Each structure stands twice: as structure tokens, then as C-alpha cells.
Amino acid sequence: MFRTALRNVLAHKARLLMTVLAVMLGVAFVSGTLVFTNTITDAYQNSSAKGFDGVDVAVSAKYQEGKGDKPGGYPDLAPALLDKSARVPGAASAVGVVSGFTAMADKNGKLIGNGWQTNGGNYWGTDDSRYPLTSGHAPRGENEVVIDAKTAERAGYKVGDTVRLSIDGPVLSPKIVGVFTTDDGNVAAGGSLALFDTPTAQELFGKAGGYDEIDVRAKPGTSQAALKSQLDKALPKDLAETTTGQARADEQARQIANSMNGMRQGLLVFAGIALFVGTFIIANTFTMLVAQRTKELALLRAVGASRRQVTRSVLIEAFVVGTVAGVSGLAVGIGIGAGLRALLGSFGETIPDGPLVVTPGTVVAALAVGVVITMVAAWLPGRRAAKIPPVAAMSSLHAQATTKSLVLRNTLGALFSAAGVAVVLAATTMKGTDGQAPMGLGAVLLITGVFILTPLLSRPLIAAAAPVLRVFGVSGKLARQNAVRNPRRTAATASALMIGLTLITGMTVMAGSLQTGINKMATSALRADYVVQMANGNDLSSDVDRRLAAVDDVSASSPMRDTMARIDGDSEYLTGVNGSAIGKLTNLKVDEGTFTVAGSKIVVDDSTAESRGWKAGTQFTAHFEGGRSKQLTVAGVYEGNELFRGVMVDTAALPKPADARDMRVMVKMAGGASDAAKDKLEKALDSNPGIQVQSKKDLSDSIAQMFTLLLNMLYGLLGMAVLVAVLGVINTLAMSVFERSQEIGMLRAIGLNRGSVKRMVRLESLVISLFGGVLGIGLGVFFGWAAGRLAGASMPTYELVLPWGRMAIFLLLSAVVGALAALWPARRAARLNMLTAIKSA
């Protein structure tokens, strides 16, 4: 039986290739995902580990609890602690570190990297520095700076150039006096690093002679643990705490791995989808293979083979196919991993350099997936064939499904579909992440139910195409009859394409609806022409609001200033705004009362009002730092959104600390938004690279950027599932042609020419593909609506938007899939020798 199974595999090389390709793509998806995420994780971890090479023990400040009206925090490390750290036994050297946000502009004045990746600090210039110079010299004085080599290369800077920098105040224009290399993870990820001499860095970052951290190196022969123990004894426990460099590296490695888990899980979900689609194709393929060999298997039974042996022979074929597919899929997956890494680069994402990482776990997973999925998909057809009595198989009495089996199948499909719809609808009524798991469960149930019902659905939907097919005469009529002759085979073929298009359509509907909601929120809730904020998300100096208000053509402006207060014993952030201008800058829907912010009158968003039991007219007392208190009255309750939420208070009613900070500043121009207006605002801020001046469109695009990038990646990944479906259609048609060889020969004998045969097969493929496309787009719209409703629960401006143009493209894609998939089977059918085909049965 083993030799028989191997001969069957090798005797049908084309059939073997098609099946291997279907499995291989699913395996490639899984292995490519693992290679990609392992490579990115390893690159970041190695980069961060190198950043700690010069640190054996790091000394950091211990959190100090607040006393009286003074808030708690992390104090600066005094120079005395640096001296004491350098003198402990086992310490070779100790260096004080100062660091903080430092925005660097390129030669066009644009920010280099993302806000959180642009950093600065002090350069200590010792021989064992982690920042070795490649050119120039160490910085000396406030007008000199050294920058990292990657930033210098990207921005085209060299020693002697002047660079624009912003830390937390006026724009600086120091001279670049040196370029250094570094393994800093932020730099590797596309950020920048600018270093000053220590006194200058302490002044710029407000350390007043202190340090953020003290890095201690051990003498040769002294372990990190021993040095840490000595430092713990020497340093005051209430002021400082120590961590070994290895512990720092390990912790950062864990954080990087955790940050990659979301991407890994998301990619593996789509790998599972590809396998899910591939499983249908494999099961469909083996079902047809077994059906074609029914008489052969019956003969084996007749000469003494047992049912178990027949099933085992089919599983041996599946094992061979799965092994070949697993090995080839792993090879292709490595290429996919490299391609995904390059894809991130094309989207502007910079990642550290490093080799592709193929772990033993990836190899085992690829082989296991290839073999297990194939054998599981092949088991049921093999078992079904083994149960057919030899005499019945030889006379083909088993071919027709019984009425009982059809009723059972349709009943199960209806139950699964109804349960799926019910669970999905229930999930749309939930809030936040609570509805994600039920939504996923409902989607699986509904897709499974539709898949079970697809044979029943195929007849009426394909019959609807009859008027169009009549135009093609006999070929069109035969194509329609062939498509509905074996509903189960047609259903399995169409389902593969259906699942891919369901996902693509669903994601497109949800993303388009969310984007529209965000745009509507920016345009409807925000009357201001520009929103000004720091690139790294930190607070702005209050000087920014004063500068912007003084600009010509600014008709209204308001800061959004966070102030902590205690209300009824609980902490609450109050947002200080310009009460006389806030109404001109926002257009928030008022649910109750009036939108009045002046004196002691405030407005509050609906969720805060609900949680605290406030309504229009409610009075309460807010207690501020320093012992001040203020009685406030709720004038109105507004509908909050992603841009505006919380309690809005007139800044005149709030305490005025010397270091007042603003989250953002809203500005309205007399002439509206324009390039000239934006340029005028940026110049008023000295073209500070650390401050973003964003229009409504800029703001909307920045909010939507994350899921837009994800959607673009998913289009590429889900294209794999569609490719698997294409192979399934080709496979089905090729086997269908083989199965109907005698019939095609008879048609040719009675006058059907080769062109008509080709047209018949192509139309059959087109009908099946469009059938899958219609089902997929319909399900995708439903899932897109449901998922978008769940995601948009916290967005009042969310509305369902159907992308008719893209859905038309998806339907056209289905037709293209059908046309391409039919090329080889149609050519093969037309070239059949009619006499040989007639004698083949």
C-alpha cells in the first residue's frame, strides 16, 4: 500500500504540483510571519543590548513622595553621588548622564524622525565612551554639538554645518563639531541624537548641576553583581537605586518582545486565515482525487485491501505532499520575511540592521503546519472513500448525495449562520474591548455556516447569471450546467475566494468608515484652522500661546492647559481654555445647558458628567495645589470625542503657576487655513522643529495614520489568501476537465469546436469566481459594519461608508481570478483527443 501510494503521487505530477502550491502558500505565510517578527525583535534587542555595553551598573534616582503641597517625583542625582559612585571598590569609572527630548531639523527645516525618537544629552568624551567620534572633536560650550553618524548621513550634515535644535525653549543653532557612532535603539529606528558638553546639557535640560543617571563601569575581574552590591552599600538607599547593565538590557529586550507581540499575533491571525482557505482547497482537492480513483480504490478493496489500508494510502499521499509543501513553504517564507522588512522601509519605518532570523521553532512550525494541515484535510475524503462498498464504487452508485445528508448539511449551515449573526449583533452593543472576542467568535460561526450552506446558495445565485450566459450560446448553457452539477465542489472552490474577499472588503469598509468619522470629527468639532502641539506629545511652554496670539490675521486662539485638582476627594484634570475664544474654536454638540466658559462657569463632557453625577447647574469645589480652592458651576454638558473631553475651565479661574504648560494651542485665522498662514505661524515660533502646526487635514491624517499603514500591509498579506484561492480554482477546473474527459470528447464529436470548449470552461470558471466574490463582498460589508460599529462606539461622528468603487474593483478582481485560473484548464480541455477521451471511461 505504501508503494502504491507513492506511485499514485508520482504518476500525477501536475496534480501534485497544484496541491503542493496550495499548502505551500499557507505554510509560507506562517513561516514568513515568524521570520519577520523574530528578525525585527532580534534587531531591536541586539541594538539595545549594545547600548548597555559601556554600563555595568546604572544608578538612578528613587521616587520621592510628595510632602504637603509639593508633588512627588524623581529628583536629580547630585554631583556628590557621582563622586561617591566613582570611589566605591570595584568601580573603574563613573559618568553622569543627562538626557531629554531634543528636536533636530533637517536642512529643509523638517523634524528628523518621530518626536519620541529625537533625543539629546551630554557627551563626556572619555576613551571608553559609548559614542566614539568618527570625525571632528568633542563639544565645548553652548554653541557646539556632536550628532550621530546615521542622522548626519540621512540629513546630509557634516562637521562645520549649523543645525537647528529645539529642546524646551527657543530654537538653538549650534555648530556641528563632531560626528559619532552609536548603537542607540532610537537612532537605529530612524531617530536622532545630539550631544552637548555636560555643563551645557545640564543647563538646557534644567538639571542645575545634577544628572538623570550615573553609569558605572567595573574594574577588570569585578562582576556586575559585585559592583552593584558595593554601590548599594555606599549610596543612600532613600535617594538612589541601582540596576546592573545586564538587567537593563534584559528588561528592554522583554519590552521590545512584548511590543512585537501585537504585530506577531495580528500577522499570525492572517497566516491562520491563509491556512483556513488552504484547508478548504486541500480538502476539495483530495475529495476530487479520491472520487477520480474510486474504481481504483474499489479494485484494491476487492483484492483484499482493508478500509484502514485504503485510508492509510490516502494519508501517505497527504504526508508526502505536506512534507514537500512544508520545506518549500519555509524557503518562500524566509523570502516573505525579508520582503515584509523591506515593506516597512518603503512606508518610512526605519529598523536596526541585522540578519534574517530563522529559529528552530520556525522550521518545526513550518513542517508541522504543512504535514498536519494536509493530513487533516485529506483524512475525511480518504475515510469516506474507504467506506464505499467495492461493488457500489465500481458502478458509481455512491455518486449522488442522499436527501438525508443534504437536509442535515443545510440544517447545520442555517444553525451556524443564525448563531453567528446573533453573536455578531450582540457584540456590536458592547463597549471597548469587551466585544472583540464575541465579534471574532460570531465571525467564525457565520463564515462556517455560509460555507456549509454554499452548495444550497450556489444554485439560485448561479441561475441568476443565466440571462448573461445565454448570450454565449451552447457554451454558456453548458458552463452554467457544469457549475451547478456538483454544488459541493463549486462551493468549496468559491469559498476559498469568498473568505479572502470577506476580509479585504471588511477591512476596507471599517477603515473607510473610521477615516470618515475622524475627518468629520476634525471638521465638525473643530472650528480652529490649526492645532499647535509638541512633536513628542509633551506640553508646550505658555509662551507659545502668547506668541501665536500676537500674530497678524489670528482672529482667535486658546491654549488647552491641564491643571490637577481634587474634587470630592478624587483627583481630576481640569483643562484651562480661553473662555472668550473657545466657542469660536470649537463646535461641540451640547446635550444639556449652554456652552459657557467664563468665571466660575464650566462645561464638562458627557462621560465625565455621567460618572460623577453632574448636570447643568451642579456646583462643586475644586482644590488646587498651594491651598487655593474655587467653587465652580456646570453650565453645560457637551458630547466628548477623541479631540475634546473632560472639564473645561476659563484659565482666568485657575491658579497661575510660574511654569504653566499647555497640551496644545488652537488658532483661528481671519483668512482661513493656507500655506501662507501656516508659514506665518511657524515663523512666529522661530520655525521650531519640535513644534507641529497642524491643519484639520494634518490632524486627521496623523490620527488615521496608524490604521492606514496597517490596512496597506493587510492588503498585501491578504493578497496571499486570494492567491491561494486562485490556485484552488485552477485545481478544481483542471480536475473537472479530467473528470469530464469523455463528456468533452462526445461534445467535440457531435460538432462543438475547440474555441467553444475553451469558452465553456472559461465561463464556468468566471461564474464560480463571481459567485465567491459576491458572497465575500456581502459578508465583508456585514463584518465591516459590525466591526466599525464596535470600534466607533467611542466616536460619535462615526458613520458607515460603503466604498462602492473599491467593491466594484474587488468584484472585477473576482472575474480576473476566474479568467486567469481558466487559461490552462481551458487549453487542456480544447486539446483533448476526442477519440481517446471517449474511450477513457
Side-chain angles (χ1 to χ4, degrees):
M1 293 302 296
F2 181 76
R3 288 196 300 271
T4 302
L6 288 181
R7 285 174 180 171
N8 274 322
V9 171
L10 297 175
H12 304 89
K13 295 181 178 60
R15 186 175 69 194
L16 171 67
L17 177 63
M18 296 299 299
T19 311
V20 166
L21 281 174
V23 185
M24 182 196 73
L25 285 174
V27 174
F29 213 156
V30 173
S31 57
T33 294
L34 295 176
V35 168
F36 171 67
T37 53
N38 287 337
T39 296
I40 300 300
T41 302
D42 185 74
Y44 275 112
Q45 288 177 347
N46 288 341
S47 177
S48 65
K50 288 178 182 178
F52 292 103
D53 284 348
V55 182
D56 289 312
V57 178
V59 181
S60 55
K62 198 167 187 178
Y63 183 80
Q64 303 296 306
E65 297 291 342
K67 295 181 180 179
D69 296 330
K70 294 183 178 180
Y74 292 92
D76 298 336
L77 297 175
L81 290 177
L82 174 62
D83 296 336
K84 189 174 289 188
S85 299
R87 293 195 302 267
V88 302
S93 63
V95 177
V97 179
V98 179
S99 61
F101 168 67
T102 303
M104 185 186 302
D106 60 19
K107 291 188 175 182
N108 296 319
K110 302 300 182 182
L111 178 69
I112 298 174
N114 294 318
W116 56 271
Q117 295 172 325
T118 56
N119 297 307
N122 63 319
Y123 184 85
W124 51 87
T126 58
D127 293 337
D128 56 352
S129 169
R130 73 174 78 172
Y131 306 122
L133 288 170
T134 59
S135 62
H137 60 80
R140 295 186 291 268
E142 61 182 9
N143 292 319
E144 294 186 354
V145 68
V146 293
I147 66 173
D148 67 274
K150 288 190 175 182
T151 298
E153 181 182 356
R154 284 195 297 265
Y157 284 128
K158 60 183 183 297
V159 173
D161 289 343
T162 299
V163 62
R164 293 175 62 79
L165 301 172
S166 171
I167 294 176
D168 194 23
V171 175
L172 308 174
S173 298
K175 182 180 180 180
I176 298 174
V177 297
V179 175
F180 61 87
T181 59
T182 178
D183 293 310
D184 186 280
N186 285 328
V187 172
S192 62
L193 183 60
L195 301 178
F196 307 87
D197 64 10
T198 298
T200 301
Q202 288 174 327
E203 181 182 352
L204 291 174
F205 294 109
K207 298 305 175 186
Y211 305 98
D212 293 308
E213 181 177 294
I214 297 172
D215 292 342
V216 187
R217 294 205 69 173
K219 290 179 179 179
T222 302
S223 67
Q224 291 186 354
L227 179 59
K228 180 180 185 300
S229 178
Q230 292 292 341
L231 287 165
D232 288 339
K233 294 176 183 178
L235 301 179
K237 293 181 173 56
D238 60 333
L239 293 179
E241 54 188 6
T242 61
T243 311
T244 64
Q246 186 60 51
R248 280 281 187 91
D250 292 342
E251 176 59 26
Q252 193 158 14
R254 280 193 295 270
Q255 292 176 356
I256 291 170
N258 289 336
S259 68
M260 295 299 296
N261 278 342
M263 178 180 288
R264 183 194 299 266
Q265 291 171 1
L267 292 175
L268 285 175
V269 165
F270 290 97
I273 291 166
L275 285 174
F276 189 49
V277 174
T279 301
F280 287 147
I281 295 171
I282 299 164
N284 192 29
T285 299
F286 274 93
T287 298
M288 289 186 290
L289 293 179
V290 170
Q292 291 171 6
R293 292 167 46 207
T294 299
K295 293 185 179 180
E296 174 190 326
L297 296 176
L299 183 60
L300 289 174
R301 290 287 313 281
V303 298
S306 65
R307 289 184 177 182
R308 185 170 297 178
Q309 286 178 312
V310 170
T311 304
R312 193 181 303 144
S313 71
V314 176
L315 292 179
I316 289 171
E317 289 187 48
F319 176 79
V320 173
V321 169
T323 303
V324 173
V327 173
S328 56
L330 175 63
V332 175
I334 294 173
I336 290 175
L340 287 175
R341 180 173 175 170
L343 183 65
L344 278 184
S346 68
F347 286 137
E349 299 291 329
T350 307
I351 57 177
D353 296 329
L356 284 177
V357 177
V358 184
T359 64
T362 300
V363 176
V364 171
L367 294 176
V369 165
V371 173
V372 172
I373 290 293
T374 307
M375 293 186 71
V376 167
W379 175 77
L380 187 60
R383 183 172 177 272
R384 188 186 298 134
K387 292 174 67 175
I388 300 172
V391 175
M394 289 181 180
S395 59
S396 299
L397 294 176
H398 65 289
Q400 297 298 321
T402 63
T403 303
K404 181 180 178 181
S405 69
L406 292 175
V407 170
L408 178 62
R409 179 185 181 113
N410 293 338
T411 302
L412 283 174
L415 290 174
F416 271 95
S417 299
V421 171
V423 174
V424 168
L425 291 178
T428 60
T429 63
M430 301 179 183
K431 293 183 178 180
T433 58
D434 295 341
Q436 291 180 359
M439 181 74 70
L441 175 62
V444 171
L445 289 173
L446 180 54
I447 289 176
T448 303
V450 172
F451 172 71
I452 296 172
L453 285 175
T454 307
L456 179 66
L457 298 173
S458 64
R459 290 186 178 276
L461 288 178
I462 292 177
V468 178
L469 292 175
R470 287 197 192 99
V471 176
F472 298 95
V474 174
S475 296
K477 182 178 181 181
L478 290 172
R480 183 181 63 81
Q481 291 175 347
N482 289 333
V484 297
R485 177 186 298 180
N486 191 333
R488 292 188 178 184
R489 184 176 64 202
T490 297
T493 305
S495 294
L497 187 60
M498 174 193 78
I499 294 171
L501 286 178
T502 295
L503 293 166
I504 293 176
T505 305
M507 289 297 300
T508 303
V509 170
M510 185 176 72
S513 299
L514 286 173
Q515 179 68 65
T516 301
I518 291 171
N519 292 340
K520 189 175 179 181
M521 178 175 65
T523 55
S524 63
L526 188 66
R527 285 179 177 168
D529 295 312
Y530 293 99
V531 174
V532 181
Q533 56 191 0
M534 290 293 289
N536 66 337
N538 287 351
D539 291 339
L540 293 161
S541 167
S542 59
D543 181 58
V544 171
D545 177 41
R546 289 193 292 271
R547 286 193 178 200
L548 294 173
V551 174
D552 294 338
D553 296 334
V554 171
S555 59
S557 69
S558 172
M560 296 189 71
R561 183 173 303 161
D562 263 355
T563 303
M564 175 64 77
R566 293 190 66 81
I567 301 172
D568 297 332
D570 298 324
S571 296
E572 183 78 54
Y573 273 106
L574 308 183
T575 301
V577 297
N578 184 341
S580 61
I582 190 66
K584 303 174 184 177
L585 299 167
T586 61
N587 186 30
L588 298 168
K589 180 183 177 183
V590 179
D591 295 334
E592 183 182 352
T594 61
F595 195 85
T596 304
V597 183
S600 62
K601 293 184 178 181
I602 66 162
V603 292
V604 60
D605 72 299
D606 46 5
S607 60
T608 302
E610 182 181 356
S611 64
R612 287 193 171 270
W614 292 345
K615 57 184 179 180
T618 299
Q619 294 184 340
F620 59 86
T621 302
H623 301 275
F624 302 99
E625 185 180 335
R628 277 197 57 188
S629 61
K630 177 82 174 179
Q631 189 175 42
L632 302 173
T633 302
V634 178
V637 177
Y638 67 90
E639 199 173 83
N641 55 50
E642 295 297 322
L643 295 178
F644 302 100
R645 62 178 70 248
V647 181
M648 291 190 191
V649 187
D650 196 335
T651 52
L654 295 175
K656 297 179 180 178
D659 60 343
R661 317 285 292 176
D662 299 328
M663 293 184 294
R664 61 181 71 95
V665 177
M666 295 179 291
V667 180
K668 188 171 182 62
M669 307 297 291
S674 66
D675 291 340
K678 185 175 183 178
D679 186 58
K680 188 177 292 187
L681 294 177
E682 288 177 342
K683 286 182 177 178
L685 300 174
D686 298 328
S687 298
N688 193 317
I691 301 178
Q692 294 177 324
V693 179
Q694 295 179 300
S695 64
K696 294 178 184 179
K697 185 178 185 306
D698 295 335
L699 195 63
S700 176
D701 290 345
S702 66
I703 296 173
Q705 183 179 12
M706 182 174 64
F707 67 79
T708 300
L709 173 63
L710 177 64
L711 183 64
N712 289 334
M713 289 184 66
L714 291 183
Y715 276 149
L717 294 174
L718 290 174
M720 293 282 291
V722 176
L723 186 56
V724 175
V726 172
L727 290 174
V729 178
I730 297 173
N731 217 2
T732 299
L733 288 173
M735 293 186 178
S736 176
V737 168
F738 175 81
E739 185 180 295
R740 304 200 313 260
S741 295
Q742 185 183 33
E743 175 188 321
I744 293 172
M746 289 293 295
L747 290 171
R748 293 275 287 113
I750 61 176
L752 196 66
N753 59 34
R754 288 186 175 182
S756 298
V757 171
K758 284 184 180 180
R759 194 178 304 116
M760 175 186 71
V761 176
R762 289 170 183 167
L763 290 173
E764 180 183 353
S765 175
L766 190 65
V767 166
I768 292 174
S769 297
L770 286 175
F771 168 56
V774 169
L775 285 181
I777 292 172
L779 284 174
V781 169
F782 176 71
F783 288 134
W785 165 81
R789 186 178 176 86
L790 180 64
S794 59
M795 186 187 297
T797 54
Y798 174 84
E799 64 176 84
L800 177 66
V801 176
L802 295 181
W804 295 106
R806 290 198 180 186
M807 288 194 296
I809 292 174
F810 296 156
L811 194 60
L812 181 62
L813 175 65
S814 302
V816 171
V817 166
L820 293 177
L823 290 177
W824 178 64
R827 185 169 178 270
R828 186 170 181 268
R831 296 182 65 184
L832 283 175
N833 184 289
M834 65 181 75
L835 296 179
T836 303
I838 291 171
K839 292 190 298 180
S840 64

